[in-house]
């Protein structure tokens, strides 16, 4: 067997994650059968499960990667920007299944499994903690510049933003219209800032 | 057969709804089998389905009744008060299954079915419209007293409140802690009012 470089391994792993993202977004966790994962990645089950122990490990790796990218956006632009990105994706293609860089599909599945699978809930906790930490840091930086309202603890504002994000994800999961929500997100953004 | 007065019929119907509410809250829609509905109402399936065509009709009647009660609270005290009530119930007993007057359990099931059952979504639309109308009316009344912020259309504020409600329901459905959310609801309440 030819030797494969670390770069090639990483690229192959990412290729699988991108295909799996489309697959989970289109069919949901239960509907993403091994056959469908093969189709969407263009690889055999042997190749896929060489990189990921099982479907659950694959989904968790995907959700982790998306959570990290979400945390990066939060650090740079805040949680409201994450919500605006989700909204844009929903407008473009409904469930994020067409856009392999979109985290909407994964986020909808994470939410669904958090509600229905207590075991998954436990495994997910550390990743949600990462996003919370990124949100807190971002708010602390805003506070240092005097842009944040200071009559409410930053921890409460962070929780507020996470609650709205959850509402948005749920709204989109129900297939409710996304068009009029920009104004709503403006209200959310204003309400954490100093007036 | 003895004749039964309209009052008695209404009381029997309400008795079934209250038992069914506990049953759906405890087991979810799918888990609320006919046998469990019999147990929680103390009535035979014959008696239950004399009043309601089938399980779906029973659930819809329950959800309708709760939506109407929710709309009443909205009219009197606003949508944020509905959220505070949900929070209180969640703190007391987790999923609202112990409290027959609680609408938390039903609300969680409505949300879940909205996400998973497109047909239910269609049937539910008219009831969600009722709540939206109650919210709009309440905001218009607040606006008339000058208590509402006037830099954002009332329709946007109504959507904002509904999005937060959805986030709260989702948060509680995931079994996330409810204790620190009072401060969050204070932020929500302030953000629709004139500062």
């Amino acid at each position: 067997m030819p030797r494969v470089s670390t770069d090639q391994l990483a690229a192959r792993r990412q290729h699988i994650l991108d295909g799996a993202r489309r697959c989970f977004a289109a069919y949901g966790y239960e509907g993403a059968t091994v056959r469908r994962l093969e189709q969407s990645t263009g690889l055999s089950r042997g190749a896929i499960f060489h990189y990921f122990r099982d479907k659950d490990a694959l989904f968790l790796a995907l959700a982790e990667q998306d959570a990290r990218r979400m945390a990066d956006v939060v650090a740079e632009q805040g949680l409201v920007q994450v919500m605006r990105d989700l909204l844009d994706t929903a407008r473009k293609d409904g469930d994020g299944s067409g856009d392999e860089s979109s985290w909407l599909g994964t986020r909808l599945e994470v939410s669904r499994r958090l509600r229905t699978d207590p075991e998954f809930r436990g495994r997910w906790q550390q990743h949600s903690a990462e996003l919370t930490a990124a949100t807190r840091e971002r708010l602390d930086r805003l506070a240092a510049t005097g842009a944040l309202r200071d009559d409410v603890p930053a921890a409460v504002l962070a929780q507020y933003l996470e609650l709205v994000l959850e509402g948005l994800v749920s709204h989109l999961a129900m297939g409710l219209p996304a068009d009029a929500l920009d104004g709503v997100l403006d209200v959310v953004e204003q309400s954490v800032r100093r007036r």
Side-chain angles (χ1 to χ4, degrees), chain A residues 10 53 55 66 82 101 106 132 189:
Chain A
R53 202 180 55 241
K55 189 169 99 171
D66 284 4
V82 167
S101 70
T106 316
T132 302
E189 187 138 46

Side-chain angles (χ1 to χ4, degrees), chain A residues 19 22-23 27 33-43 48:
Chain A
R22 285 191 299 272
C23 192
Y27 302 110
T33 57
V34 173
R35 174 175 292 266
R36 282 177 169 156
L37 285 167
E38 287 180 323
Q39 284 165 350
S40 64
T41 59
L43 294 170
I48 296 171

Side-chain angles (χ1 to χ4, degrees), chain A residues 75-114:
Chain A
E76 294 282 323
Q77 302 170 274
L79 198 58
V80 176
Q81 187 57 46
V82 167
M83 300 187 218
R84 295 196 195 276
D85 290 348
L86 286 173
L87 212 50
D88 280 345
T89 309
R91 273 190 202 119
K92 264 185 258 157
D93 93 32
D95 58 5
S97 60
D99 180 358
E100 68 184 45
S101 70
S102 153
W103 50 50
L104 175 59
T106 316
R107 194 66 187 69
L108 295 180
E109 268 306 292
V110 166
S111 267
R112 197 190 58 74
R113 294 192 68 196
L114 284 173

